[in-house]
Amino acid sequence: MRSGTVAVIGKANAGKSTLVNAMVGEKVAIVSPKPQTTRDRIMGILNRSDRQIVFVDTPGIYRSRNALGDLMLRTTETTSRDVDALLFVHDGHAGVREDDIALMLKYQSLGVPMLVAYNKTDIMPAERVPEDAKRLYEGGVEAAVYAVSARRRRNLGKLEDALAAMLPEGEPLFPEDVISDRSERFMIAELMREKILLGYDEEIPHGVAIVVNTFEKRENGTYAVDLDVICEKKNHKAILIGKQGSAIKETATHARVAMEKFLGAKVYLTVYVKVRADWRDKASLIKEFGYRPDDP
Ligand SMILES: Nc1nc2c(ncn2[C@@H]2O[C@H](COP(=O)(O)OP(=O)(O)OP(=O)(O)O)[C@@H](O)[C@H]2O)c(=O)[nH]1
Ligand SMILES: [Mg+2]
């Protein structure tokens, strides 16, 4: 039995969370077209009779502009040092730039075995893949490059086999029926954040945190969920709510449907929008809203 941990790292929006979900076969991490979707490390666990691969999804590498961003980058840094292997996800569609190579070299230098997943091959000309791979090798990247499409689940079997071969022999780290280290409560908050990422322009979702006040399973099997959408500014609150509450109502409906799918039961969802000025630069509020990635 091969078993171990694989940190999934790379620039923001490269498709790390999409790839982890595709490999695990279940949605363990939210996905959106906006960079900085993932804020925390999230384990997604792939179980087979001969292997257990514990993927650790991480916040994408992005220029930080606040204390939350700093924390996210630190999370990725510390996670990368403490795993059996690294899977560097590259957005092939965006091309290969000097800073991509520099980033790969930086992680390669940690001395942890590394593979590159060259992602999004479904939306680019096939002939570019070998050209780009050559540029990476000429730039000093030593890791094997796997051309994949996380969205179309292309070439993932080969990548999985290559990752498993990098892991130590040993007992599984988690029971076989576990697919994530995160609670249902966490996922509920994340699904709300995902729908906000999808529904509003960038500056709004990046300043949003979700606080779940109530997450309760009732006797009849339904769930009661009561949550706060925290934003940074008064005018953001107005945009989030929309005319006569229309915007937040629509977003909450999308979120409720996603929560019902995830929990397999009916959900009664209540949402309030609140302002906590510039919380992303206030350590105590960052912590209060659940971002404590430095904790074990
Ligand atoms: N066409 C295509 N799009 C993809 C693929 N993989 C991911 N995407 C899209 O890329 C966007 C970003 O995906 P995520 O999985 O959220 O990316 P991420 O690397 O986790 O991003 P952060 O959490 O912000 O660092 C989403 O719109 C995905 O649907 C792929 O293989 N092909
Ligand atoms: Mg992500």
Side-chain angles (χ1 to χ4, degrees):
M1 178 96 181
R2 298 263 181 186
S3 88
T5 50
V6 176
V8 183
I9 55 170
K11 278 188 185 168
N13 212 41
K16 297 177 294 299
S17 302
T18 308
L19 185 61
V20 169
N21 291 340
M23 304 282 279
V24 171
E26 298 271 353
K27 180 164 175 164
V28 293
I30 61 165
V31 164
S32 93
K34 299 190 175 74
Q36 294 185 292
T37 295
T38 306
R39 285 179 174 169
D40 260 319
R41 54 187 242 163
I42 299 169
M43 288 184 185
I45 303 154
L46 176 127
N47 288 297
R48 304 227 190 268
S49 55
D50 63 340
R51 66 186 62 153
Q52 181 178 73
I53 308 180
V54 179
F55 292 99
V56 191
D57 190 11
T58 63
I61 294 146
Y62 200 79
R63 196 149 56 92
S64 168
R65 292 195 175 85
N66 49 51
L68 176 66
D70 295 347
L71 195 62
M72 287 160 59
L73 286 177
R74 276 211 306 282
T75 301
T76 303
E77 293 281 317
T78 49
T79 304
S80 304
R81 288 164 201 275
D82 197 26
V83 285
D84 296 305
L86 295 174
L87 178 58
F88 191 107
V89 182
H90 173 71
D91 179 349
H93 176 65
V96 170
R97 301 193 325 215
E98 286 304 314
D99 66 329
D100 292 305
I101 296 176
L103 205 55
M104 288 181 202
L105 294 180
K106 176 186 159 184
Y107 282 96
Q108 180 170 294
S109 75
L110 293 178
V112 180
M114 182 168 111
L115 291 183
V116 173
Y118 180 102
N119 191 29
K120 307 199 187 180
T121 55
D122 55 299
I123 50 166
M124 51 178 288
E127 63 270 18
R128 257 200 38 220
V129 181
E131 289 166 20
D132 281 358
K134 190 163 163 255
R135 286 198 56 203
L136 295 180
Y137 293 132
E138 284 173 358
V141 175
E142 288 159 8
V145 176
Y146 286 77
V148 301
S149 165
R151 185 182 277 176
R152 303 262 170 252
R153 300 181 186 228
R154 248 191 235 161
N155 222 10
L156 300 188
K158 281 190 192 142
L159 179 61
E160 185 194 314
D161 288 345
L163 285 169
M166 295 163 92
L167 301 180
E169 288 277 351
E171 290 303 305
L173 305 169
F174 289 87
E176 268 167 36
D177 55 344
V178 173
I179 58 158
S180 173
D181 67 328
R182 293 300 187 152
S183 64
E184 288 181 331
R185 194 185 178 106
F186 172 83
M187 224 17 221
I188 290 300
E190 287 288 271
L191 289 171
M192 185 69 204
R193 205 162 59 77
E194 182 183 64
K195 300 312 169 200
I196 292 172
L197 276 155
L198 295 173
Y200 298 89
D201 285 343
E202 205 135 312
E203 59 162 336
I204 306 280
H206 283 154
V208 158
I210 309 296
V211 173
V212 180
N213 301 312
T214 312
F215 175 71
E216 217 176 80
K217 191 172 186 176
R218 294 185 179 140
E219 273 180 17
N220 63 4
T222 65
Y223 285 82
V225 177
D226 172 310
L227 54 82
D228 292 339
V229 173
I230 311 286
C231 64
E232 287 191 313
K233 294 183 169 65
K234 261 192 180 158
N235 64 323
H236 287 188
K237 178 174 171 175
I239 295 168
L240 275 161
I241 292 175
K243 245 189 189 162
Q244 291 168 341
S246 57
I248 197 66
K249 209 168 158 189
E250 190 185 331
T251 309
T253 302
H254 289 308
R256 178 181 53 74
V257 170
M259 291 171 193
E260 288 178 339
K261 185 168 171 226
F262 172 70
L263 294 167
K266 202 160 172 43
V267 171
Y268 294 89
L269 175 63
T270 323
V271 174
Y272 291 94
V273 182
K274 294 181 179 168
V275 181
R276 291 281 184 284
D278 301 320
W279 67 267
R280 281 186 295 169
D281 264 322
K282 293 176 180 159
S284 64
L285 288 179
I286 290 172
K287 205 168 169 183
E288 187 183 325
F289 299 153
Y291 299 106
R292 304 174 197 202
D294 285 336
D295 290 357

